[in-house]
Amino acid sequence: MFDAPDVWSDLRRLRYFAVLAEELHFTRAAARLRVAQPALSQQIRALERQLGVPLVHRTSRGCTLTEVGARIAGEAARLLAEVDAGTARIRDLVRGRGGRLRLAYTRSARGGRVDALVARFRAAHPDVEVVPETAWTAPNVAGLLAGRLDAAFVRPPVDEPALACRTVDTEELLLALPAGHPLAAGRRRISRAEVVDLPAVMWPRENGPGMFDRTIAQVWPHGGFKLVRQEPDDEQLLRAVAQGDVVAAVPAGRARALRLRGTAAPVHRPGAHRGRRPGLAARQHEPGPAPPPRPARVRPGSRVDILP
């Protein structure tokens, strides 16, 4: 029968058992723990009674772990590592240093100034543990609102009054064309009118509604966006374009980073405007990004550049 736990006694007994599992000798384990060998034996027997299973086979030369004892030793080691790490974090907080920053990247804005900002933060605050993850803008916003994240990179606009969002960079939005597409042959610029009704591939709008709508407005401002296919991320967008059937709007940084040798045919990329703006968002009541500046208007135009 498994007894109700006394947390502190359990942790002490688990620590004793974890050391014994490493040494496989009561005398050496007791010396390492700086306790008397009879006291260690007593605590191990108490843990066995509490769990209702034998943990070790005792021999004249030491001990070996039972099958269940070996499994419990692994769990005990992982648990104690978490306890020790948590204790260290608490001590740092009491001393006015340390802490953790739960930070989410957005899938379409890695590298460049985004990574540089995080690197600068790590260098300025070496005692702060940065806990990163990566998702689209919509789940990043949801994580901020739920309190699961402290800060998140997003693609504005983010229509949430509870969040403050500060622009951290501006990059070109490019239109990827298949290799050998007639619009890319020997040209550096194409008109927006020429991309009207071209079959296009895009990621699902629910991943980032504001970014999705702004992208369409920049490349197809007068309509003619013909969505024929959806893919989960920018890499898959470019792979779809390389197959020769569709075009796709992608940020310049991602387009260059994802041009992997040997994985897709060369892709010609005509640029639209400088208008994709990664932002850093946090809850209004928490210290962090300042309120966003007034958004700049995208200048109207009829032509886009083709990059070599």
Side-chain angles (χ1 to χ4, degrees):
M1 182 72 180
F2 184 82
D3 294 337
D6 176 344
V7 175
W8 298 114
S9 295
D10 287 352
L11 287 176
R12 182 178 69 252
R13 288 170 181 167
L14 282 176
R15 196 174 297 278
Y16 285 2
F17 176 60
V19 173
L20 178 63
E22 293 178 3
E23 297 291 343
L24 295 178
H25 195 282
F26 276 90
T27 301
R28 290 198 299 268
R32 181 173 156 187
L33 291 164
R34 299 184 180 181
V35 299
Q37 189 270 333
L40 173 61
S41 297
Q42 183 181 27
Q43 290 299 318
I44 297 301
R45 290 189 183 280
L47 182 59
E48 289 176 319
R49 287 195 300 271
Q50 181 183 4
L51 297 178
V53 292
L55 300 176
V56 297
H57 296 300
R58 294 161 177 82
T59 68
S60 59
R61 296 185 177 182
C63 64
T64 59
L65 299 178
T66 65
E67 181 179 352
V68 68
R71 295 170 62 184
I72 291 175
E75 292 296 330
R78 284 188 287 271
L79 174 62
L80 292 169
E82 288 289 334
V83 170
D84 291 343
T87 301
R89 287 194 295 268
I90 290 172
R91 286 173 177 163
D92 284 342
L93 290 172
V94 170
R95 294 168 183 168
R97 65 173 191 260
R100 4 174 33 203
L101 176 67
R102 299 167 299 174
L103 175 68
Y105 294 94
T106 181
R107 290 188 182 276
S108 63
R110 289 302 303 267
R113 194 174 180 197
V114 169
D115 284 359
L117 284 172
V118 177
R120 282 169 49 195
F121 178 86
R122 290 179 185 271
H125 305 279
D127 295 327
V128 176
E129 178 189 8
V130 177
V131 184
E133 59 182 74
T134 302
W136 287 94
T137 289
N140 285 354
V141 168
L144 289 170
L145 294 174
R148 188 177 58 80
L149 295 172
D150 300 310
F153 290 101
V154 297
R155 287 286 190 176
V158 175
D159 187 18
E160 288 291 347
L163 302 181
C165 183
R166 182 174 184 177
T167 300
V168 298
D169 200 2
T170 300
E171 64 178 337
E172 286 182 310
L173 177 64
L174 308 179
L175 187 69
L177 297 174
H181 193 283
L183 290 179
R187 302 173 59 184
R188 295 187 59 84
R189 293 169 66 88
I190 58 177
S191 70
R192 280 191 172 89
E194 289 177 290
V195 303
V196 169
D197 292 331
L198 287 182
V201 58
M202 191 67 168
W203 37 262
R205 184 178 183 276
E206 56 266 26
N207 291 349
M211 175 183 172
F212 186 100
D213 294 343
R214 178 172 286 181
T215 297
I216 304 310
Q218 286 182 262
V219 182
W220 293 273
H222 306 299
F225 173 57
K226 184 179 179 181
L227 180 66
V228 298
R229 180 172 171 179
Q230 287 189 328
E231 293 292 346
D233 54 39
D234 290 326
E235 180 174 4
Q236 297 306 316
L237 295 186
L238 291 177
R239 291 184 186 276
V241 171
Q243 293 172 8
D245 298 322
V246 291
V247 301
V250 290
R254 294 294 285 167
R256 296 188 179 98
L258 294 173
R259 194 174 182 179
L260 304 177
R261 182 175 300 173
T263 60
V267 179
H268 295 279
R269 294 165 301 200
H273 274 295
R274 291 189 174 272
R276 292 285 279 272
R277 299 181 173 193
L280 182 60
R283 292 182 66 86
Q284 289 276 16
H285 65 272
E286 298 191 17
R294 295 182 62 184
R297 296 182 60 185
V298 178
R299 294 181 179 178
S302 61
R303 304 187 71 82
V304 294
D305 296 333
I306 295 180
L307 298 185

